Amino acid sequence: MKNSKSESYAAAGVDITAGYKAVELMKKHIARTKNEGCLDDVGGFGGCFGLNMAGMEEPVLVSGTDGCGTKVKMAILMDKHDTIGIDAVAMCVNDIICCGAKPLFFLDYIACGKNVPEKIAAIVSGVAEGCVQSGAALIGGETAEHPGMMPVEDYDLAGFAVGIVDKKKILDNTRMAKGDVVIALASSGVHSNGFSLCRKVFDIDNNPASLYEAKEELGGKSIAQTLLTPTRIYVKSVLALLEKVDVKGISHITGGGFYENIPRSIPKGLSAKIEKSAVKVLPIFDLIAKTGNIPERDMYNTYNMGVGMSIVVPAAEVDTALEILRANGEDAYVIGEIIEGDDGVVFC
């Protein structure tokens, strides 16, 4: 890359040499994510990954793609860019683990108004941390400088993950039955959904200074710090659970909250009866509801409310499931059961 430099392109707003520097700065972070499937270094035209399919009868690749939504705006406002990448990975790998698939690798895409190598490297450091937490390798990505399309300080982040599962082990909710139990895995906060409503409720665009005031109800943290808390990654805990327990369904609670996501893992003719008093609602959600005068139903139809993932298991295996999940660092607890009906979710 020593001879690659265009003064004309730089004058138009794109500094290709900044891209080269960003790649050099991020390599140490990417190195942390290498696993047995990695075949080459970042910098080529494609990321290569060797599949180990030993012990699998019918290996199936499972993919997921997502971004961080307007949570990126929070990172930009706070000028803190080293955790938003965790969210990008989490939104993808938490989805594919719902099928029972083990993440293999991840690729990211960063679009920015101006390529500041140190900022890009900080973003990728978060992506790398998310990959380490999920066991996925970061095998490539793209940073695109878009002058004129967004302010120079702005950027957007997205990515996709690929995982693998033996076909016979893909989670099949057709075996779900009345009396099965719904287990909650606690979230770390708002995760990466509902931030447009957060911005409206707290008037973030017009009054950003209020974000930095310490709030007693948030344990002394500011709204900004609390909202920027990275999405929890559940992959390793769930993989451990799948080895020992007959898991019948998993839902990643993202946009649409309880009402949209829990029914996605439940077959027709059955519904999840959720005991509302059992849900450990995090203080940030109480603050959002109070400040914005948001109806309770809208809260449960927008946010995770403190439950980042729900898992359905047979009643006879609840104790074993809770023991495994807690041993793997999860705050896991029972929030309901499967009942007959086509309501999707019923609160009691």
Side-chain angles (χ1 to χ4, degrees):
M1 306 298 182
K2 292 181 179 179
N3 295 323
S4 179
K5 182 175 177 63
S6 172
E7 297 291 349
S8 298
Y9 207 7
V14 178
D15 184 358
I16 56 177
T17 60
Y20 304 148
K21 182 179 179 182
V23 170
E24 288 302 313
L25 291 175
M26 67 178 70
K27 281 185 175 180
K28 64 181 180 181
H29 304 298
I30 296 170
R32 296 178 56 216
T33 75
K34 286 194 172 183
N35 58 30
E36 67 278 2
C38 295
L39 299 181
D40 57 10
D41 292 325
V42 171
F45 289 99
C48 298
F49 191 90
L51 281 176
N52 179 3
M53 297 181 289
M56 291 192 179
E57 296 177 10
E58 293 184 82
V60 175
L61 295 179
V62 180
S63 62
T65 185
D66 210 338
C68 309
T70 56
K71 186 172 185 176
V72 173
K73 191 77 171 179
M74 296 300 306
I76 294 170
L77 282 171
M78 293 188 68
D79 194 25
K80 180 174 173 54
H81 312 285
D82 60 349
T83 61
I84 194 70
I86 299 175
D87 294 286
V89 176
M91 295 305 291
C92 298
V93 297
N94 282 346
D95 274 357
I96 66 175
I97 195 62
C98 290
C99 299
K102 175 185 177 181
L104 296 173
F105 59 83
F106 185 85
L107 282 84
D108 60 20
Y109 178 83
I110 304 169
C112 56
K114 180 177 176 59
N115 188 332
V116 179
E118 292 76 14
K119 181 190 288 187
I120 299 300
I123 296 169
V124 174
S125 74
V127 175
E129 175 58 28
C131 287
V132 169
Q133 289 184 23
S134 62
L138 179 55
I139 65 171
E142 173 70 9
T143 301
E145 201 168 13
H146 290 168
M149 287 189 66
M150 58 179 72
V152 294
E153 70 274 8
D154 280 6
Y155 63 87
D156 197 12
L157 171 65
F160 79 90
V162 174
I164 192 169
V165 61
D166 203 341
K167 187 175 181 179
K168 65 183 180 182
K169 293 185 178 181
I170 295 175
L171 293 184
D172 179 8
N173 66 10
T174 60
R175 298 182 301 103
M176 198 175 292
K178 177 183 176 182
D180 287 338
V181 175
V182 183
I183 292 174
L185 301 189
S187 69
S188 55
V190 180
H191 284 185
S192 300
N193 298 101
F195 274 81
S196 294
L197 181 55
C198 287
R199 287 166 55 218
K200 180 178 184 293
V201 166
F202 296 122
D203 198 21
I204 289 173
D205 294 338
N206 299 314
N207 188 25
S210 64
L211 292 174
Y212 303 100
E213 300 172 3
K215 296 286 185 179
E216 183 178 348
E217 58 263 61
L218 298 179
K221 291 185 177 181
S222 68
I223 293 172
Q225 287 175 306
T226 304
L227 291 179
L228 201 57
T229 301
T231 304
R232 185 165 181 82
I233 292 175
Y234 301 100
V235 169
K236 293 181 179 179
S237 301
V238 173
L239 286 175
L241 182 70
L242 291 171
E243 290 181 1
K244 302 290 185 180
V245 172
D246 179 21
V247 176
K248 295 187 177 183
I250 303 177
S251 291
H252 182 200
I253 313 299
T254 56
F258 281 52
Y259 285 99
E260 181 176 323
N261 293 288
I262 291 180
R264 293 169 68 180
S265 66
I266 300 174
K268 290 183 178 180
L270 296 176
S271 297
K273 184 173 76 173
I274 304 298
E275 186 178 342
K276 193 178 296 182
S277 62
V279 177
K280 299 179 182 179
V281 178
L282 296 176
I284 183 60
F285 298 112
D286 290 330
L287 184 60
I288 292 170
K290 179 182 177 181
T291 305
N293 194 27
I294 309 298
E296 184 179 63
R297 192 194 188 285
D298 286 359
M299 290 296 296
Y300 277 92
N301 209 158
T302 304
Y303 296 107
N304 68 63
M305 300 302 287
V307 179
M309 187 163 278
S310 66
I311 301 176
V312 177
V313 302
E317 298 189 59
V318 171
D319 290 342
T320 300
L322 292 174
E323 181 180 349
I324 292 170
L325 291 166
R326 290 166 180 168
N328 282 272
E330 303 297 344
D331 179 5
Y333 58 98
V334 173
I335 58 169
E337 65 177 337
I338 300 300
I339 61 173
E340 293 179 346
D342 286 312
D343 297 309
V345 172
V346 178
F347 285 94
C348 64

